[in-house]
């Protein structure tokens, strides 16, 4: 009976994700692994909406969406889950409604609250990956600490104007640098309202992160490294910094 259920799941995955399964490093086993993974996306703005689209479409088993905000007209030029008729509605609800129609593999769970408040009600963090897509420095320090404490893979991305930063930490090592080690100052707490943004930069930086995330979740031999990528879309420069082991005090 179990074999039959497994075969049906496998046939369903090949039907829906056949082209992705062809990618070396993913294959059928990787797709099956993806269907059992659980990811938390924090923030459903410019970065989080792109992340939600690509990660749901990759066939990840369960995706949690966390955001307290309502959609504003000024969001629409870069936040790809929303259109004019969604203005005033909550980002988590609109995103969930649209995303859950993409496939029958991914379970979408929305949390219409801040990450800080979400943590008060959800002590047990059993994600395979936490993906911080907020533009809030304090939030990133908190989400990085939570992932480190619970040994969960972690990725954070940020953009400003035509530049972006990708950060990932290797959750398997105690000697890995956390977000607070790399970006300690709290006075750079830019809110979305103030920072300059263009849609394609959000799309590019998030796509880079999602590519690494899909490979890492599909196959444990593709684990995320501790690294920073500095990306400038206008000059086409990507600088990759591999992070050395340190004694993280956080
Ligand atoms: Zn640290």
């Amino acid at each position: 009976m179990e074999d039959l259920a497994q075969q049906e799941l496998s046939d369903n995955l090949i039907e829906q994700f056949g082209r992705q399964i062809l990618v070396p490093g993913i294959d059928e086993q990787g797709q099956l692994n993806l269907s059992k993974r659980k990811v938390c996306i924090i923030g459903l703005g410019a970065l989080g909406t792109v992340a939600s689209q690509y990660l749901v479409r990759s066939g990840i088993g369960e995706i949690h969406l966390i955001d307290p905000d309502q959609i504003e007209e000024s969001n629409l030029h870069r936040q790809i889950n929303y259109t004019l008729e969604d203005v005033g509605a909550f980002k988590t609800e609109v995103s969930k409604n649209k995303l859950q129609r993409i496939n029958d593999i991914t379970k979408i769970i929305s949390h219409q609250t801040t990450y800080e408040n979400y943590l008060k009600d959800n002590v047990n963090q059993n994600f395979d990956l936490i993906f911080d897509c907020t533009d809030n420095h304090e939030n990133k320090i908190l989400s990085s600490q939570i992932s480190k404490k619970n040994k969960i893979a972690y990725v954070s991305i940020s953009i400003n104007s035509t530049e972006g930063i990708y950060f990932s930490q290797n959750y398997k090592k105690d000697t890995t640098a956390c977000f607070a080690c790399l970006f300690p100052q709290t006075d750079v707490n830019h809110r979305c309202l103030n920072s300059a943004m263009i849609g394609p930069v959000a799309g590019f930086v998030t796509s880079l992160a999602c590519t690494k995330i899909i490979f890492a979740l599909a196959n444990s031999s593709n684990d995320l490294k501790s690294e920073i990528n500095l990306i400038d879309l206008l000059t086409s420069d990507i600088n990759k910094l591999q992070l050395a082991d340190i004694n993280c005090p956080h």
Side-chain angles (χ1 to χ4, degrees):
M1 199 64 191
E2 201 163 286
D3 282 355
L4 186 65
Q6 195 73 10
Q7 188 56 47
E8 278 175 15
L9 173 65
S10 192
D11 290 347
N12 187 16
L13 292 178
I14 291 169
E15 180 70 24
Q16 294 193 64
F17 306 102
R19 297 291 283 268
Q20 183 169 283
I21 288 168
L22 288 176
V23 176
I26 295 185
D27 65 44
E28 207 174 320
Q29 183 58 48
Q31 193 63 52
L32 193 61
N33 293 343
L34 282 172
S35 73
K36 295 172 183 168
R37 299 286 180 254
K38 199 169 160 183
V39 171
C40 175
I41 299 175
I42 312 167
L44 286 170
L47 306 167
T49 52
V50 178
S52 71
Q53 286 284 336
Y54 279 133
L55 294 185
V56 169
R57 283 175 201 277
S58 76
I60 287 168
E62 188 171 314
I63 295 188
H64 289 239
L65 308 170
I66 303 174
D67 195 296
D69 292 337
Q70 288 162 280
I71 297 154
E72 296 174 23
E73 206 173 335
S74 63
N75 299 151
L76 302 183
H77 86 278
R78 64 189 186 279
Q79 302 187 10
I80 63 169
N81 287 357
Y82 320 126
T83 45
L84 275 175
E85 66 271 21
D86 301 323
V87 170
F90 283 97
K91 293 183 177 180
T92 44
E93 280 316 294
V94 172
S95 295
K96 183 183 173 180
N97 286 340
K98 294 187 182 174
L99 295 166
Q100 67 191 3
R101 284 182 271 148
I102 292 173
N103 63 46
D104 62 2
I105 297 292
T106 311
K107 188 176 166 195
I108 317 271
I109 295 157
S110 61
H111 307 272
Q112 186 200 303
T113 183
T114 62
Y115 185 57
E116 205 179 350
N117 283 334
Y118 160 81
L119 289 175
K120 287 177 191 161
D121 298 334
N122 297 273
V123 185
N124 196 2
Q125 296 292 302
N126 59 347
F127 295 108
D128 295 293
L129 183 127
I130 294 173
F131 190 8
D132 194 316
C133 293
T134 69
D135 53 3
N136 185 307
H137 188 262
E138 283 170 6
N139 197 91
K140 289 175 185 294
I141 287 179
L142 178 62
S143 59
S144 165
Q145 281 170 357
I146 292 292
S147 72
K148 191 160 182 182
K149 188 173 139 205
N150 293 283
K151 295 201 178 301
I152 301 169
Y154 180 77
V155 173
S156 165
I157 49 174
S158 320
I159 56 166
N160 187 29
S161 194
T162 62
E163 297 175 354
I165 300 176
Y166 164 91
F167 169 80
S168 57
Q169 63 193 27
N170 185 338
Y171 63 103
K172 287 183 178 163
K173 284 159 74 180
D174 289 330
T175 51
T176 197
C178 77
F179 190 86
C181 291
L182 274 300
F183 308 100
Q185 69 275 44
T186 50
D187 58 343
V188 293
N189 197 359
H190 299 299
R191 289 294 295 152
C192 189
L193 202 61
N194 305 319
S195 54
M197 288 193 193
I198 180 170
V201 176
F204 186 99
V205 174
T206 311
S207 296
L208 180 142
C210 286
T211 304
K212 291 173 190 273
I213 287 169
I214 291 166
F215 271 81
L217 293 177
N219 189 334
S220 56
S221 64
N222 300 325
D223 259 350
L224 294 169
K225 298 177 178 69
S226 295
E227 65 174 314
I228 296 179
N229 295 176
L230 303 169
I231 303 140
D232 188 326
L233 271 287
L234 210 53
T235 58
S236 306
D237 289 331
I238 300 182
N239 288 303
K240 195 167 98 174
L241 310 170
Q242 218 67 265
L243 301 176
D245 290 351
I246 60 150
N247 189 11
C248 162
H250 302 101

